[in-house]
Amino acid sequence: MGMSVTISAASAQDAEQILKLQYLCYQNEAELYGDYTIEPLTQTLDDLRAELAEGHGLVARLGDEVVASVRGSIDATGTARIAKLIVHPRMRRHGLGGRLLDAIETHFTGQPAAQRFQLFTGHRSEGDLRLYRSRGYAPVSTEQAGPRLRLVTLEKKAAKEAAAAGSYVASA
């Protein structure tokens, strides 16, 4: 690709680009499960801004364009819940999703309360499941979320040494 992708904290100014990218990225999931009412496709801009304000988000930029994003928050039990890892279709298969996942984990590992990471995906989302398993996540539960969708929750322990890992700068 030649250009560098930079990963940095998301801001409220990024919300509109993130929402447009989210809508694009979740079309495949909606088609896979036959459900175009999934939350990522119905989330409002105000809801997204609130989510960013309450938790932590990262964006990956290629120049000025947001090409990937991930969000998360940590609860009182020390569980860092990671959500909505999205990568623009033209940027997939270059390791960007894995780098974003590593970066958000590093952020939460720096939080003294982070004991574990947790995320979920649909049972038919093989690419997502493959990525999460390759990063040490293991299934801990399954929940029926619709007539054709089972959500698989995956989890792994937080590795405190990850806090010393690299910066948010990555190349694609």
Side-chain angles (χ1 to χ4, degrees):
M1 295 205 143
M3 289 184 75
S4 286
V5 172
T6 58
I7 298 173
S8 60
S11 69
Q13 290 76 27
D14 296 319
E16 192 171 333
Q17 281 192 70
I18 293 169
L19 191 62
K20 287 177 182 177
L21 180 62
Q22 178 175 302
Y23 187 81
L24 173 67
C25 291
Y26 275 94
Q27 294 298 312
N28 289 342
E29 294 293 303
E31 184 178 344
L32 183 62
Y33 297 103
D35 185 357
Y36 287 84
T37 64
I38 58 176
E39 190 270 342
L41 295 181
T42 61
Q43 186 174 34
T44 68
L45 187 55
D46 287 340
D47 290 342
L48 175 69
R49 285 187 177 123
E51 195 174 294
L52 288 172
E54 292 168 9
H56 184 70
L58 296 174
V59 291
R61 285 185 175 76
L62 184 61
D64 292 334
E65 180 187 8
V66 172
V67 294
S69 180
V70 66
R71 303 191 284 279
S73 61
I74 191 163
D75 68 17
T77 70
T79 301
R81 290 184 173 33
I82 299 170
K84 297 184 181 102
L85 175 61
I86 54 176
V87 177
H88 193 289
R90 77 172 191 277
M91 299 295 292
R92 291 181 185 153
R93 313 297 302 162
H94 294 283
L96 187 53
R99 288 191 292 258
L100 266 176
L101 187 56
D102 291 346
I104 195 103
E105 288 176 5
T106 298
H107 170 78
F108 286 118
T109 301
Q111 306 270 336
Q115 301 296 314
R116 74 197 64 73
F117 301 111
Q118 193 175 78
L119 44 73
F120 64 87
T121 192
H123 71 286
R124 290 189 210 148
S125 302
E126 288 302 322
D128 296 345
L129 289 166
R130 192 171 32 258
L131 170 64
Y132 301 146
R133 286 184 182 125
S134 76
R135 292 294 202 265
Y137 286 83
V140 293
S141 68
T142 326
E143 171 189 343
Q144 196 69 36
R148 297 170 60 186
L149 171 62
R150 282 191 322 272
L151 292 178
V152 179
T153 299
L154 299 101
E155 189 175 287
K156 78 175 186 179
K157 289 190 181 286
K160 296 301 178 188
E161 61 275 5
S167 70
Y168 288 163
V169 178
S171 297

